[in-house]
Amino acid sequence: MNSIINKKLIKLNVNGNSKKEIIVELAKLIDEQGRLNSIDEYIEEVLKREELSTTGIGFGVAIPHGKTNAVKVPTVAFGRIKDGVEWQSLDGEPVHIVFLLAVPEKAASNAHLKILAALSRKLMDENFREELLTVNSEEKLIETLETIFANALD
C-alpha cells in the first residue's frame, strides 16, 4: 500500500492567504500524486465539511478533511503557514500547521477517524507541535509523521 504521506505531500512554506486557498494548494499536491479521481469534487467536499464546523482545533493547527469517492487512497498532505492564517479556530488563534486528510468513501468506514485520532493525540504534545513549526526538511518531517500514521490504518 502507498504510504499515507510522502515528501511530495509536504509544503513547508504554503503560499495561500485564506483557508480556501490553502486547502486548494494542498489538494493540488494530493492530485499531483495521482491520489484523486477529481480534485474539484474533493475540494468541494472539504469546503462543505468546513462549513459544518471549523477544523481549526487550536494550538495553531487545522485538520480539514474530506471523505469522498473523489479520493483513491487514504492520504495526508501537510502545509506550514509562516505568518499564520485565520481559520475560525476553536481558540481564536491563527493557523500555522495544516494537515489535509483525503479518504475514499469506500475506505474502511472509520479510516479517517483513526487517522484523526492518531494525529489529534500527538498534537496535544507541545514539543511535537514545536517540531512541526521548526523542522526544515521534508525528510525529517516524514520520519516524524510516519510514526503516527504507521499504525493508524492497521
Side-chain angles (χ1 to χ4, degrees), residues 95-140:
V95 162
H96 293 273
I97 297 167
V98 177
F99 287 95
L100 179 61
L101 277 57
V103 180
E105 187 74 51
K106 293 181 198 136
S109 61
N110 58 0
H112 73 293
L113 296 176
K114 287 181 177 179
I115 296 168
L116 278 169
L119 193 52
S120 298
R121 272 194 304 274
K122 192 68 177 162
L123 286 166
M124 293 297 111
D125 179 348
E126 187 176 344
N127 293 328
F128 175 67
R129 293 192 312 270
E130 187 59 33
E131 185 176 350
L132 295 177
L133 288 170
T134 57
V135 69
N136 55 14
S137 84
E138 288 88 352
E139 289 82 4
K140 177 70 179 133

Side-chain angles (χ1 to χ4, degrees), residues 47-127:
L47 293 175
K48 251 197 286 189
R49 167 60 189 82
E50 203 62 44
E51 286 174 16
L52 295 174
S53 67
T54 184
T55 57
I57 63 168
F59 306 109
V61 177
I63 311 176
H65 49 281
K67 183 178 177 186
T68 169
N69 289 327
V71 178
K72 294 179 186 176
V73 294
T75 303
V76 175
F78 173 89
R80 190 166 65 196
I81 307 121
K82 185 175 185 271
D83 297 325
V85 71
E86 172 54 43
W87 209 282
Q88 294 83 40
S89 293
L90 298 175
D91 63 2
E93 295 297 316
V95 162
H96 293 273
I97 297 167
V98 177
F99 287 95
L100 179 61
L101 277 57
V103 180
E105 187 74 51
K106 293 181 198 136
S109 61
N110 58 0
H112 73 293
L113 296 176
K114 287 181 177 179
I115 296 168
L116 278 169
L119 193 52
S120 298
R121 272 194 304 274
K122 192 68 177 162
L123 286 166
M124 293 297 111
D125 179 348
E126 187 176 344
N127 293 328

Side-chain angles (χ1 to χ4, degrees), residues 20-47 66 68-72 100 102:
K20 182 177 181 180
E21 286 177 9
I22 291 163
I23 289 169
V24 168
E25 193 172 339
L26 293 177
K28 284 180 182 173
L29 297 180
I30 297 171
D31 192 46
E32 287 164 6
Q33 291 296 296
R35 293 168 174 249
L36 298 177
N37 294 312
S38 166
I39 188 171
D40 294 336
E41 194 179 315
Y42 171 67
I43 290 169
E44 184 182 326
E45 187 64 31
V46 173
L47 293 175
T68 169
N69 289 327
V71 178
K72 294 179 186 176
L100 179 61

